[in-house]
Amino acid sequence: MSNTTPQAKMRSWLFAPGDSLKKMTKASESAADIALLDLEDAVMPDNKPLARQMVRDFLAEREDKHRIWVRINPLSSGLAEHDLDAIIEAAPGGIMLPKAEGGHDVEALHALLNEREAGFGVTRGSIKVIPLVTETAAAMFTTGTYAGTPRLAAMTWGAEDLSAAIGAQEQRGPDGEYSHTFELARSLCLLGAAKAGVAPIETVQPEFRDLEKLAERALRVRRQGFRGMLAIHPAQVDPINTAFTPSADEIAHAKAIVQAFADNPGAGAVALNGNMLDRPHLALAERILAESDE
């Protein structure tokens, strides 16, 4: 069995517990770019063997495997290899690696995947990886070590496990914004992903009913450089997709920038609408057009 369909978009990543057929089906049939079937936090320990079987069976029946990823248990848990043994034959599009503590963990996962892809006849390297890179104190010091690691498609961060790791009783201030340590985690994820040349993905918003707040946050972090966001409820998918899709005005402006440089080949800077733009503006415009498929 092979898995060669490219993953085009990574705006929205919708979690679904691996022991709920109803929720896995709902996630996979949603507008989420990626349905993320969970074998870790959403599944109680006694249910993990059943969840592995359910995820494997669910994947086996899907034709859109490229957009169905699986969050396994951490490498240090003693459960990750059991997760991989159960699901790799069904060729998910990718693996989310929780509690990653540096590029060496992605390398270790790569080796485990190589063995199982070969054993099950899955195209080598076809299963991609997104690590959760800020869930432990040690992980905060290694977000710049992922560049060049195999299979890396994106990087994301988390606040809940980090809270437990450092003994923090709150993550946000009275204004609802993350406190310093968690803003640092977000920034380190963004910078690490930029260094690695992959998509930085914003963490979840637990208040799943406040879609207005979600939309504001998603748009804000997109402007800061993030390329997508994790979701915990299907209702969050549309606001996330909208926020991470360039608007008509953004596309028009990006096209104008690209055209201005095309009209002035070899120029390091061009004038547009009274502003002087240099090559970084061109790179950003080209990225916006790539995200818009125009």
Side-chain angles (χ1 to χ4, degrees):
M1 182 182 298
S2 65
N3 180 25
T4 58
T5 306
Q7 176 63 51
K9 293 184 182 296
M10 295 186 174
R11 300 168 301 176
S12 51
W13 303 61
L14 178 58
F15 280 105
D19 57 354
S20 171
L21 178 59
K22 178 180 178 180
K23 291 181 179 179
M24 288 193 293
T25 300
K26 194 167 186 178
S28 67
E29 293 180 352
S30 75
D33 290 334
I34 294 175
L36 194 52
L37 311 184
D38 194 9
L39 294 175
E40 194 208 12
D41 287 345
V43 179
M44 296 299 291
D46 289 346
N47 264 11
K48 289 187 186 291
L50 173 61
R52 292 184 190 113
Q53 180 179 343
M54 291 179 66
V55 167
R56 179 188 62 208
D57 293 346
F58 185 82
L59 277 163
E61 296 179 358
R62 301 293 303 193
E63 296 182 358
D64 56 346
K65 298 175 189 292
H66 66 281
R67 61 176 289 270
I68 301 180
W69 292 40
V70 180
R71 178 164 71 171
I72 62 171
N73 287 278
L75 293 178
S76 60
S77 68
L79 301 173
E81 293 195 39
H82 297 296
D83 294 340
L84 297 174
D85 287 338
I87 66 173
I88 295 307
E89 183 177 10
I95 298 295
M96 174 176 276
L97 178 62
K99 296 181 178 62
E101 293 191 337
H104 62 280
D105 278 345
V106 175
E107 294 276 3
L109 177 58
H110 169 62
L112 295 175
L113 288 170
N114 276 347
E115 294 174 3
R116 287 155 180 81
E117 285 172 341
F120 289 121
V122 176
T123 303
R124 181 168 178 170
S126 61
I127 299 173
K128 305 306 180 184
V129 173
I130 177 173
L132 274 155
V133 300
T134 67
E135 291 190 305
T136 71
M140 294 281 281
F141 295 92
T142 61
T143 57
T145 66
Y146 291 88
T149 54
R151 302 176 184 266
L152 192 70
M155 292 168 57
T156 190
W157 70 285
E160 284 72 23
D161 285 280
L162 182 59
S163 294
I166 64 176
Q169 296 182 24
E170 65 177 22
Q171 302 168 8
R172 307 184 194 190
D175 60 357
E177 296 301 315
Y178 280 110
S179 59
H180 174 72
T181 299
F182 300 97
E183 282 291 354
L184 176 62
R186 171 189 274 157
S187 297
L188 288 173
C189 175
L190 176 63
L191 294 169
K195 179 183 177 184
V198 298
I201 305 299
E202 171 67 342
T203 193
V204 301
Q205 177 169 302
E207 305 90 352
F208 63 88
R209 289 188 174 88
D210 193 342
L211 298 183
E212 182 177 350
K213 181 179 179 181
L214 169 69
E216 291 173 356
R217 176 178 159 195
L219 186 58
R220 182 171 67 253
V221 298
R222 175 177 172 255
R223 289 170 175 165
Q224 293 170 355
F226 283 86
R227 309 286 289 279
M229 185 170 178
L230 306 180
I232 58 171
H233 192 279
Q236 295 181 317
V237 170
D238 285 344
I240 290 173
N241 283 348
T242 298
F244 286 95
T245 299
S247 67
D249 287 345
E250 285 180 290
I251 293 170
H253 185 59
K255 286 181 175 179
I257 293 173
V258 171
Q259 188 60 52
F261 277 95
D263 292 341
N264 295 274
V270 298
L272 180 67
N273 300 328
N275 295 308
M276 189 60 67
L277 307 177
D278 54 17
R279 289 281 166 176
H281 292 93
L282 175 60
L284 181 57
E286 290 172 338
R287 192 180 99 175
I288 289 172
L289 294 180
E291 291 173 356
S292 68
D293 297 325
E294 295 197 19

